[in-house]
Amino acid sequence: MDQKRELTSVDLVALTAELNGYQGAKVDKAYLYGDDLLRLKMRDFDRGRVELLIEVGETKRAHVAAPEHVPAAPGRPPNFAKMLRNRLSGADFHEVRQHGFDRILEFEFRREDQDTTIVAELFGDGNIAVVDQNGEVVDSLDTVRLQSRTVAPGSQYGFPSARVNPLELDYEGFAAKMRESDTDLVRTLATQLNFGGLYGEELCTRAGVEKTKDIDDATEEEFRALYDASERLLDAIQSGDLDPRVYFEPGEGENEDGKAARGQRVDVTPLALDERSDLPSDAFDRFNDALDDYFTNLDTTEEEESGETTQKPDFEQEIQKHEHIIKQQEQAIEDFAEQADAEREKAELLYANYDLVDDLLSTVRDAREAGHGWQEIAETFREAAGDVTGADAFAGVNESEGTVRVEIDDHTIELDPEAGVEKNADEHYKEAKRIEEKQEGARAAIENTREDLEAAKQRRDEWEDEPAEPDDEEEAKDVDWLSRSSIPIRKQEQWYERFRWFRTSDGFLVIGGRDADQNEELVKNYMDRYDRFFHSSAHGGPVTVLKTSAPSEPSKDIEVPEKSKRQAAQFAVCCSSVWKDGRGAGDAYMVSPDQVSKTPESGEYLEKGGFAIRGDRTYFRDLAAEWGVGVTCEPHTRVLGGPIDAVREDVETMVELEPGRYAQGDAAKRIYRELRERFADESFVRKVASPDEIQKYMPPGGSRIRD
């Protein structure tokens, strides 16, 4: 029994609902394996690390994989992966949609500066297209140029022609589609109703009808039974009433535990199927988990099984292929030019020999009207050669086409006797123009091939110049960025960078106002109901908000670890008058957003940026006034500042600060000099961590570097 290697339309209905459970996860990094497997590494507040795999080669699948099932990172990121990292880093996973009932998934990601949709085509040859918020293709694994649709960078993404969607059919529509068929029941369900072979057979079995019965012999009751069976199956899947199964080939004998032996995995479905009842199976709680188990254990290439990093592609073979195509295209352009010149010359020869050609055509027309056959006419011209005007130019007839051929100045010209000289000449001018249009098309094609050639050369050069990348954050820490002579600049602006900000050890974003206006803005526009509000007990501190969701996603009630709360409280203390006054510690409190109000108590007044707090507060006492400023190189190159425990996990090197006598600008210069000495690539520090940039990530007031 062949192993299943492609997800069906029915599978995608079940999968889409489960994948939408990961809404709000943030994208960290994108990887491309070979030319058909895309991996998006994300993080979710509830689930932690989320690994989304999309494969569009011989195997076509999409699911979230357990971290241990994820292949090791490729040696070097190709341009497609770099483009995705640039567009998706820090973006929120908004939703996934199935396009109609087709095997197409649209993964939508949102970020403050731009939205991006990844369209996964899990049919035919397979493809992945990256589309911007205007529907324009940014890039795609394969370029598609068909009369019906186009998938190419710079063009509007074109979906395939819409197919029948059984989810939208009532009984009358279902029965009408069945009656239009000219084959049997199961093939009609599989192709005309788009259920595919397996589910077509399953519906016949559940409906109790003979699957091979011809449509013309089927009764209305059988159509109704099939429709009801399809409704029950699809309703169960849409409502989430699943029973996911991974099926095995029966093995021989028994295992050590006394159970029947099993062969290889052969199928995975969101429901237990009658058509697979004779096969041993494993049940799963979630269809995604079943998919992960199935495709992880599917027979793969030796390279995939070993988990080895991607080998260097054969760039030279690809380059030679493009060069060979260019030579062929250049020859075709030359041939088109010669053909167009020849056609134009034929037209001009007809006009130059107008009388001769006109007499010859008139003679042929008269002979045909007199009832003479083509061969008789040809014989007459041959016998008259040398004696009759035009007979020497006659070169033969094409009886099937009803045309004659003439020979003028080494050109054989085919003519329609029913048309005059002018019309025959015009046809050759038109043919010359048609050939020239083909020539223009060939010129456009050769430009595309030259672009492909340059792209291949660029990929070769990048592969040779760029070092291999680590798999994830833990492996990135092993890269000795400090000693590297050249560090690439990777900048990605985020919406929150105009505020004070840092990320806690658990990945929560904490933002604080730089002034009264930003304090007002944070509470009004960026604080959601399940966020946490912090403020120092000392005056002069910023509004500090620990975000449990991104601005573009629904707020969620989730548990915030105590460590993250203390780090956010320490951030509020360090950015308050505690630091400015040179004190070594301070207190802060936490409340929920519904306790924060702009309405003062009776007889009181609130200044701009101030808020009234009502209800109980959770206090954090004696928080140390200490701060870290460092530089991170992966995935982005930037300065980071905040509580030492939080910053230490995200930077390559860090300078620790405490309140001191040096003004903020002077302290920033000292930090800059310290960092510059630690990196071999001093130009990198100048570009990424200038004193002005460092100052943005420091507490207000005087500081000194801790010993």
Side-chain angles (χ1 to χ4, degrees):
M1 183 175 183
D2 292 337
Q3 291 183 300
K4 176 178 183 174
R5 292 191 174 273
E6 298 183 0
L7 295 181
T8 69
S9 295
V10 176
D11 295 336
L12 295 186
V13 175
L15 175 63
T16 300
E18 290 192 354
L19 289 182
N20 276 318
Y22 294 92
Q23 289 176 344
K26 287 192 175 296
V27 180
D28 283 336
K29 212 167 188 179
Y31 303 86
L32 184 66
Y33 300 79
D35 58 0
D36 60 16
L37 175 59
L38 175 64
R39 167 189 166 200
L40 295 182
K41 181 180 178 183
M42 302 186 287
R43 50 188 165 82
D44 181 85
F45 284 135
D46 295 329
R47 299 177 177 85
R49 181 175 168 187
V50 177
E51 297 280 5
L52 175 63
L53 300 181
I54 304 172
E55 189 170 7
V56 294
E58 181 180 350
T59 298
K60 296 178 178 65
R61 56 166 169 156
H63 60 86
V64 169
E68 60 269 22
H69 295 164
V70 174
R76 293 166 177 80
N79 289 336
F80 191 83
K82 292 178 182 178
M83 174 275 296
L84 278 175
R85 293 179 187 184
N86 183 54
R87 293 190 65 89
L88 295 183
S89 179
D92 297 325
F93 171 44
H94 179 65
E95 69 170 330
V96 58
R97 302 179 295 273
Q98 181 182 9
H99 180 68
F101 198 64
D102 289 339
R103 287 180 289 162
I104 300 176
L105 293 180
E106 300 174 75
F107 295 87
E108 183 179 347
F109 299 87
R110 293 187 176 180
R111 200 170 67 185
E112 190 74 10
D113 58 334
Q114 62 188 357
D115 297 339
T116 301
T117 298
I118 294 177
V119 183
E121 299 181 355
L122 303 174
F123 65 91
D125 293 332
N127 198 8
I128 293 177
V130 180
V131 180
D132 67 15
Q133 58 264 41
N134 299 316
E136 187 174 292
V137 177
V138 179
D139 201 356
S140 57
L141 293 182
D142 291 315
T143 298
V144 178
R145 297 185 188 275
L146 302 173
Q147 185 174 358
S148 58
R149 72 186 191 110
T150 298
V151 181
S155 67
Q156 287 290 307
Y157 177 81
F159 285 102
S161 300
R163 304 173 67 198
V164 173
N165 184 351
L167 294 168
E168 298 176 349
L169 293 178
D170 57 13
Y171 171 69
E172 291 303 325
F174 178 91
K177 288 295 178 184
M178 295 291 289
R179 294 189 192 100
E180 291 173 4
S181 176
D182 59 358
T183 183
D184 56 27
L185 289 175
V186 69
R187 288 187 175 89
T188 303
L189 290 168
T191 59
Q192 304 302 311
L193 275 299
N194 297 320
F195 280 102
L198 175 61
Y199 287 100
E201 293 182 353
E202 180 70 14
L203 292 179
C204 289
T205 299
R206 292 189 179 195
V209 302
E210 175 55 48
K211 64 183 68 175
T212 59
K213 178 177 284 190
D214 192 272
I215 283 290
D216 294 336
D217 298 329
T219 65
E220 197 72 21
E221 290 74 18
E222 287 171 321
F223 285 164
R224 172 63 71 174
L226 288 170
Y227 175 75
D228 291 343
S230 70
E231 283 283 281
R232 290 192 297 271
L233 183 142
L234 294 175
D235 285 348
I237 292 176
Q238 287 186 297
S239 65
D241 184 15
L242 306 181
D243 184 12
R245 297 296 179 99
V246 171
Y247 292 97
F248 299 78
E249 279 187 338
E252 296 182 1
E254 296 181 346
N255 293 322
E256 294 179 359
D257 57 4
K259 295 182 179 180
R262 299 175 171 186
Q264 65 181 2
R265 290 167 173 79
V266 292
D267 204 351
V268 54
T269 60
L271 298 170
L273 301 184
D274 293 342
E275 288 296 305
R276 293 285 186 258
S277 60
D278 58 333
L279 299 179
S281 66
D282 282 344
F284 289 80
D285 293 332
R286 301 172 69 246
F287 185 40
N288 184 87
D289 297 337
L291 292 172
D292 185 28
D293 174 83
Y294 179 81
F295 284 107
T296 298
N297 292 283
L298 190 67
D299 286 345
T300 56
T301 63
E302 183 177 341
E303 178 178 326
E304 289 172 334
E305 290 175 346
S306 65
E308 295 175 358
T309 56
T310 303
Q311 298 297 312
K312 179 179 178 180
D314 191 348
F315 293 114
E316 297 306 324
Q317 181 178 356
E318 183 180 3
I319 289 171
Q320 290 175 7
K321 174 185 174 183
H322 290 314
E323 289 174 340
H324 178 66
I325 293 173
I326 288 173
K327 288 181 180 179
Q328 291 179 321
Q329 291 170 327
E330 288 174 340
Q331 184 60 52
I333 290 172
E334 292 180 10
D335 293 343
F336 286 142
E338 292 177 1
Q339 292 170 20
D341 289 343
E343 291 298 324
R344 191 170 284 105
E345 189 172 347
K346 289 177 182 179
E348 292 169 355
L349 284 171
L350 292 178
Y351 279 115
N353 297 270
Y354 190 99
D355 292 338
L356 182 149
V357 175
D358 188 49
D359 288 344
L360 189 149
L361 294 178
S362 298
T363 301
V364 173
R365 281 198 304 273
D366 293 343
R368 291 293 294 162
E369 290 173 0
H372 296 289
W374 286 106
Q375 294 305 319
E376 185 181 355
I377 293 172
E379 185 63 28
T380 300
F381 271 107
R382 283 193 287 269
E383 291 175 354
D387 298 327
V388 179
T389 302
D392 290 339
F394 180 82
V397 298
N398 185 336
E399 188 171 350
S400 62
E401 297 293 330
T403 60
V404 297
R405 293 187 295 274
V406 297
E407 189 82 27
I408 304 176
D409 291 354
D410 298 328
H411 282 285
T412 299
I413 309 173
E414 193 155 343
L415 303 173
D416 179 4
E418 299 301 320
V421 177
E422 294 88 347
K423 189 171 182 180
N424 274 289
D426 187 54
E427 289 299 318
H428 287 286
Y429 279 126
K430 288 180 180 178
E431 180 64 12
K433 185 176 180 180
R434 188 187 67 81
I435 294 171
E436 287 173 341
E437 290 174 352
K438 291 175 64 177
Q439 186 181 29
E440 288 304 311
R443 288 196 179 99
I446 200 172
E447 288 305 313
N448 290 336
T449 309
R450 285 174 176 148
E451 290 177 4
D452 292 340
L453 173 62
E454 291 306 313
K457 291 180 178 179
Q458 182 178 351
R459 289 195 298 272
R460 177 193 61 190
D461 295 342
E462 288 176 350
W463 181 282
E464 293 173 350
D465 293 343
E466 187 169 342
E469 65 170 355
D471 183 18
D472 52 28
E473 287 87 347
E474 290 73 26
E475 293 178 4
K477 294 295 183 183
D478 296 334
V479 178
D480 188 3
W481 294 105
L482 299 182
S483 63
R484 286 186 58 169
S485 59
S486 177
I487 301 175
I489 306 297
R490 304 184 184 94
K491 290 187 177 181
Q492 181 62 62
E493 297 298 325
Q494 302 291 349
W495 63 269
Y496 46 77
E497 291 189 18
R498 57 194 183 89
F499 302 105
R500 298 185 186 278
W501 69 276
F502 80 100
R503 287 195 180 275
T504 71
S505 300
D506 301 297
F508 290 92
L509 174 66
V510 177
I511 47 179
R514 293 186 179 275
D515 52 36
D517 288 333
Q518 286 196 350
N519 284 347
E520 297 271 355
E521 184 182 2
L522 282 176
V523 172
K524 181 179 179 181
N525 298 332
Y526 292 100
M527 187 169 69
D528 294 320
R529 60 180 298 195
Y530 294 120
D531 293 341
R532 309 293 192 273
F533 177 99
F534 293 83
H535 202 281
S536 65
S537 298
H539 71 280
V543 162
T544 300
V545 177
L546 183 150
K547 296 289 298 174
T548 59
S549 62
S552 60
E553 68 185 21
S555 183
K556 295 183 289 187
D557 185 12
I558 63 175
E559 185 67 28
V560 179
E562 188 68 19
K563 186 176 184 180
S564 287
K565 294 177 184 177
R566 291 191 65 83
Q567 289 173 351
Q570 186 180 22
F571 175 88
V573 166
C574 291
C575 294
S576 73
S577 59
V578 169
W579 192 282
K580 294 178 183 178
D581 295 342
R583 287 179 275 166
D587 301 336
Y589 61 85
M590 177 187 73
V591 296
S592 59
D594 59 9
Q595 295 177 253
V596 182
S597 173
K598 280 298 293 182
T599 304
E601 298 291 346
S602 178
E604 295 184 357
Y605 169 75
L606 290 176
E607 296 181 351
K608 186 175 185 179
F611 298 88
I613 307 297
R614 296 182 173 86
D616 296 336
R617 310 179 185 189
T618 300
Y619 280 91
F620 300 86
R621 305 290 186 182
D622 295 323
L623 298 169
E626 55 186 23
W627 192 267
V629 176
V631 176
T632 181
C633 299
E634 181 72 25
H636 304 300
T637 48
R638 62 173 10 134
V639 178
L640 292 179
I644 292 174
D645 288 345
V647 173
R648 179 182 289 116
E649 299 181 16
D650 293 328
V651 296
E652 311 311 323
T653 186
M654 179 180 66
V655 176
E656 297 183 12
L657 304 178
E658 60 187 19
R661 61 187 178 89
Y662 297 105
Q664 192 182 59
D666 293 336
K669 293 176 183 177
R670 290 173 177 265
I671 297 170
Y672 167 72
R673 289 194 291 268
E674 177 71 23
L675 293 174
R676 190 178 61 185
E677 291 176 359
R678 297 183 186 181
F679 281 91
D681 184 1
E682 293 186 4
S683 65
F684 164 75
V685 180
R686 287 197 301 271
K687 296 172 185 175
V688 173
S690 66
D692 288 343
E693 187 67 17
I694 290 171
Q695 197 168 337
K696 297 176 185 178
Y697 293 87
M698 293 174 60
S703 302
R704 65 182 293 271
I705 297 176
R706 291 175 59 176
D707 297 332

